[in-house]
Amino acid sequence: MTDRPPEYKISAIRDGTVIDHIPAERTFDVVDILNLRAHPDVISLGMNLKSKQLGKKGIVKIAGRELTKEEVDEIAVIAPKATINIIKDFSVIKKEPVALPEHFSNIIRCPNPNCITNKQKISTLFHVVGQEPLSAACHYCERVVEEKEIVLK
Amino acid sequence: MAGTSFQGRDVISINDFSKEELLHVLSVAKKLESNPQPSLLKGKILASLFFEPSTRTRLSFASAMKRVGGDVIGFSQAETTSVKKGETLWDTIKMIEHYSDVIVIRHSVEGAARLSAEAASIPVINAGDGANQHPTQTLLDLYTILKEKGKLDNLTIGFLGDLKYGRTVHSLAIALSHFKTSIYFIAPEALRMPSYYIQELKKRKIPCRETSDLDSVAKQLDILYVTRIQEERFPDPLEYQKFKAGYRIDRSLLKISKPGIRIMHPLPRVGEIDPALDETPNAVYFRQAANGIPIRQAILALVLGKAK
């Protein structure tokens, strides 16, 4: 009998949500968007896992939590290829890709330092102008933000 | 579109205008210019909020309003207002909307006009927000081209000077993309038109080419739109002097250009155009500045529901 190399595994959850196919470097952004640091139940994180689609991906498993549509839209902005899996009794009962909303509010910062949203305390608002890669125009200063420039608010 | 839908509307960005809307504003301006209406906006008050200095835009809005019978209140620098005490723009606008029927705002911060429009229940007109938009300038530029050439289609337009930072160039190029125009962008390497705009124009099927040599394309231009090269854009003053000398135009241009070429400039100029050109029929920059009056009258009358 040969020893097989140990597989990298993230423990399964009984009930909750699994967010898969997150770009590896955005894994902690998902944690921040969902405010998971305050979540009382089990959370498993995987980062830099091999992915055919993304090269390296992140995965976040959250026990005892379902996501709202607003939360899924927010994840779509930083992880447009992510999938949301709903888990019941250790089984995936629903699996859906995220969909980029046409507009998104107060998720990211405007990279233009002279934009009013960086000068006064107001919410940001962006209108999606391109997909894959994502680009979005600031509602206020009209600056177009590219996917790689995105910084959470 | 029906002109009445301008009533109550904000004028923040040229990107908010369809081709029909642009043409409608120009036609209302033409009517007001040929048939002045000194009582059209009688009883209406314009709040003119200039948080940063401006000569032409501020005075031409005030003049436009007064020539159609309206009143003007406001300030020409933020230092004399409660902003100095830390008041937010939102609060300033919430107060002023009760003092006036329409607001014109110039602000150094990009997006300030859009935010003001959200705060105000009355129409807000953007008179320049930082490096972003100045839609009435673009409208008066279009009006000037239309008046000088009698058309907006089938023209070749050259933009010369600081194309990187010049908001008038960015907005006018986008507005011209509604028409059948060809564009030359003529600038030194360091001040080239941002690639975002070039891509956008190509997407809209507008033939546009970039060059650093005016002489090589002068023969093809119906309009030459000159902008100011600002000294502060150059870390090295010597470089600035070099550019300034290389991009100054004078009467020798007329020997190599189309006879009917029209030379425009949003002003102020600081040496880009030899004053000896002023006397030629080709120089239209002062007429261009004058066109700000009918255009701003048209915008004021439209958003106040007094023109159709």
Side-chain angles (χ1 to χ4, degrees), chain B residues 33-50:
Chain B
E33 191 176 7
S34 55
N35 181 22
Q37 298 197 38
S39 302
L40 185 66
L41 297 185
K42 202 173 173 195
K44 299 290 184 188
I45 298 175
L46 161 67
S48 167
L49 315 183
F50 278 71

Side-chain angles (χ1 to χ4, degrees), chain B residues 70-273:
Chain B
D71 268 325
V72 181
I73 58 170
F75 51 83
S76 56
Q77 49 184 4
E79 279 66 30
T80 56
T81 69
S82 291
V83 172
K84 194 83 182 153
K85 300 174 191 162
E87 184 173 60
T88 64
L89 180 60
W90 183 275
D91 285 3
T92 304
I93 299 295
K94 286 311 269 181
M95 169 193 68
I96 287 167
E97 68 172 339
H98 299 293
Y99 300 169
S100 58
D101 301 291
V102 57
I103 291 172
V104 167
I105 180 171
R106 152 84 51 112
H107 203 291
S108 62
V109 174
E110 286 129 36
R114 184 77 69 185
L115 181 70
S116 302
E118 287 173 1
S121 57
I122 60 174
V124 172
I125 299 167
N126 184 5
D129 60 330
N132 184 30
Q133 284 277 332
H134 188 2
T136 59
Q137 175 71 46
T138 308
L139 285 161
L140 78 86
D141 289 342
L142 282 178
Y143 189 56
T144 302
I145 296 172
L146 181 62
K147 274 176 73 178
E148 296 292 334
K149 304 305 290 186
K151 60 182 182 179
L152 289 167
D153 284 310
N154 302 316
L155 292 173
T156 300
I157 295 167
F159 288 97
L160 176 77
D162 179 357
L163 310 187
K164 184 173 182 186
Y165 299 99
R167 75 180 165 200
T168 53
V169 173
H170 304 164
S171 296
L172 182 55
I174 292 295
L176 285 169
S177 73
H178 290 292
F179 305 94
K180 289 189 195 91
T181 45
S182 302
I183 301 180
Y184 282 100
F185 294 112
I186 310 149
E189 181 65 28
L191 296 175
R192 280 171 61 178
M193 189 76 170
S195 60
Y196 168 76
Y197 288 102
I198 303 267
Q199 282 164 18
E200 188 60 33
L201 291 168
K202 287 189 171 158
K203 221 189 280 174
R204 298 177 186 206
K205 311 255 183 271
I206 297 298
C208 47
R209 275 153 288 186
E210 293 184 84
T211 175
S212 56
D213 180 19
L214 172 62
D215 290 1
S216 66
V217 299
K219 194 86 205 155
Q220 296 166 58
L221 303 180
D222 298 297
I223 299 277
L224 176 62
Y225 193 101
V226 186
T227 63
R228 185 161 51 108
I229 295 186
Q230 294 178 62
E231 190 168 0
E232 58 267 30
R233 306 289 185 214
F234 292 86
D236 180 354
L238 280 176
E239 280 289 290
Y240 170 64
Q241 292 303 333
K242 207 172 84 188
F243 279 131
K244 212 173 138 186
Y247 284 84
R248 179 182 164 87
I249 60 166
D250 56 29
R251 291 184 82 120
S252 65
L253 172 72
L254 301 180
K255 291 185 190 138
I256 56 164
S257 58
K258 270 190 189 176
I261 190 173
R262 290 290 178 267
I263 300 162
M264 296 172 64
H265 192 302
L267 304 179
R269 62 174 162 177
V270 287
E272 306 87 28
I273 301 176

Side-chain angles (χ1 to χ4, degrees), chain A residues 112 114-117 119-120 122 125 129 139-144 146, chain B residues 13 15 88-90 108-112 114-115 118 129 132-133 196:
Chain A
N112 171 9
N114 199 37
C115 175
I116 190 84
T117 59
K119 299 277 185 182
Q120 302 202 349
I122 58 169
L125 175 62
V129 292
H139 175 70
Y140 293 97
C141 75
E142 304 190 4
R143 162 80 189 263
V144 174
E146 307 293 335
Chain B
S13 167
N15 298 327
T88 64
L89 180 60
W90 183 275
S108 62
V109 174
E110 286 129 36
R114 184 77 69 185
L115 181 70
E118 287 173 1
D129 60 330
N132 184 30
Q133 284 277 332
Y196 168 76

Side-chain angles (χ1 to χ4, degrees), chain A residues 19-23 26 30 74-83 98 147:
Chain A
I19 305 154
D20 199 357
H21 301 109
I22 304 165
R26 294 291 187 188
V30 171
E74 290 184 26
I75 290 168
V77 173
I78 54 154
K81 292 195 159 64
T83 49
V98 296
E147 189 169 312

Side-chain angles (χ1 to χ4, degrees), chain A residues 17-113:
Chain A
T17 303
V18 174
I19 305 154
D20 199 357
H21 301 109
I22 304 165
E25 69 280 6
R26 294 291 187 188
T27 312
F28 285 98
D29 285 341
V30 171
V31 170
D32 287 336
I33 280 179
L34 299 176
N35 195 22
L36 293 181
R37 287 166 214 267
H39 186 63
D41 209 332
V42 172
I43 299 166
S44 308
L45 289 185
M47 204 170 137
N48 297 330
L49 306 176
K50 270 189 197 159
S51 160
K52 275 184 197 156
Q53 198 183 16
L54 299 169
K56 283 179 176 180
K57 71 171 183 178
I59 186 165
V60 177
K61 299 186 175 190
I62 316 156
R65 168 104 177 243
E66 284 193 26
L67 306 185
T68 64
K69 185 181 178 306
E70 288 73 27
E71 287 170 332
V72 174
D73 284 353
E74 290 184 26
I75 290 168
V77 173
I78 54 154
K81 292 195 159 64
T83 49
I84 308 287
N85 303 274
I86 311 293
I87 312 293
K88 280 273 181 314
D89 208 11
F90 294 108
S91 300
V92 177
I93 60 156
K94 196 172 160 196
K95 182 173 183 166
E96 262 183 351
V98 296
L100 206 52
E102 278 178 41
H103 319 278
F104 50 91
S105 172
N106 222 23
I107 302 170
I108 68 169
R109 239 187 266 160
C110 182
N112 171 9

